[in-house]
Amino acid sequence: MDGPVFDIAHMLAGGLVLVSMMMLYQDRLYALLNVFALHSLILTLSVAWQAFIQDAPHLYVTAAIALVFKAIVIPVVLHRMIRQLGIHREIETVVGIGPTMLAGIGLVALATVVMLRVTPEADPLAREDLAFALSVLLLGLLIMVTRRNAVSQVVGFMSLENGLVLAATGAKGMPLVVEISVAFSILIAFIVIGVFLFRIRERFDTVDVRALDDFKGRRRK
């Protein structure tokens, strides 16, 4: 594979990991949603580039789905949801930003070492895409477990799904039906989570996970 082709694919996949790290230190919901929109935009560019170098037109459809739903529709809807629900816009974390960033760096190093060791015979571009994809997936999980606010946990879940799409497009020959099913599954999950957030907000007047745990503890006493 030519150098520039490899370098551009490498830069886009690496950019996705970098933006995942940016999401780790966001302490306000609006900023987190804007960074997630950037995350999805870079995913769109990465998938479109894979479609070009693999000569796979169906991947352009995947890129269009990522652009419309993940980079535009979902961030806009979450912005409106935060305004309508009056959700506290500062993000409370389980641990400090410093330890979280160190854990993120450790997970990226772990994903790179593991993936490069278990795929020595694979195509170099696919190997690195899978390593970056695993890094994005682990960072999404880290966002989910280190945030107390339910909306920020939803964003972590969707960034995790971006890592799965990156892995699927980096591996040649993946059928479009898989990518569409993943996209619609996430869309349905987003709708369901949105309904639950409204219900939780109406019932408990908060979506803070710690406050819900405190309420649950009081009910048991």
Side-chain angles (χ1 to χ4, degrees):
M1 181 173 293
D2 294 334
V5 172
F6 183 89
D7 292 340
I8 293 173
H10 200 185
M11 179 186 69
L12 292 171
L16 210 57
V17 177
L18 178 63
V19 177
S20 290
M21 294 294 294
M22 289 172 61
M23 283 196 283
L24 281 178
Y25 68 77
Q26 300 302 321
D27 58 358
R28 298 188 67 82
L29 276 178
Y30 282 163
L32 180 64
L33 292 177
N34 293 336
V35 176
F36 173 72
L38 175 63
H39 196 265
S40 300
L41 180 61
I42 295 177
L43 175 70
T44 299
L45 296 175
S46 179
V47 173
W49 185 248
Q50 289 289 342
F52 173 71
I53 63 178
Q54 294 181 27
D55 192 22
H58 67 276
L59 290 183
Y60 287 115
V61 179
T62 304
I65 291 172
L67 177 63
V68 173
F69 287 103
K70 295 180 179 178
I72 299 175
V73 174
I74 291 178
V76 169
V77 171
L78 284 177
H79 270 281
R80 293 186 59 184
M81 186 182 296
I82 291 171
R83 285 197 299 271
Q84 291 176 355
L85 294 179
I87 295 173
H88 191 55
R89 298 175 185 177
E90 292 185 358
I91 301 172
E92 294 187 33
T93 58
V94 176
V95 294
I97 296 298
T100 303
M101 295 297 291
L102 289 176
I105 294 171
L107 289 175
V108 172
L110 176 65
T112 304
V113 170
V114 169
M115 193 54 67
L116 295 183
R117 283 182 180 273
V118 299
T119 57
E121 305 299 330
D123 177 75
L125 179 58
R127 290 180 69 199
E128 300 211 357
D129 271 352
L130 290 174
F132 285 128
L134 182 59
S135 299
V136 173
L137 192 152
L138 293 177
L139 291 175
L141 287 174
L142 184 61
I143 293 171
M144 292 178 68
V145 301
T146 57
R147 299 296 188 273
R148 296 186 188 280
N149 186 285
V151 175
S152 58
Q153 292 175 344
V154 170
V155 172
F157 175 73
M158 289 188 294
S159 71
L160 179 155
E161 195 270 342
N162 282 352
L164 294 176
V165 173
L166 178 66
T169 54
K172 296 180 180 179
M174 290 290 287
L176 179 61
V177 64
V178 174
E179 296 144 13
I180 291 178
S181 65
V182 169
F184 275 97
S185 297
I186 294 302
L187 180 62
I188 292 171
F190 171 74
I191 294 172
V192 171
I193 290 170
V195 171
F196 272 102
L197 283 176
F198 274 104
R199 294 294 185 187
I200 291 172
R201 179 67 173 79
E202 290 176 357
R203 176 67 177 82
F204 300 103
D205 200 32
T206 181
V207 290
D208 189 296
V209 176
R210 186 173 54 182
L212 297 178
D213 287 339
D214 291 340
F215 178 80
K216 185 178 179 181
R218 289 196 298 271
R219 288 287 300 273
R220 288 178 175 174
K221 291 180 181 178

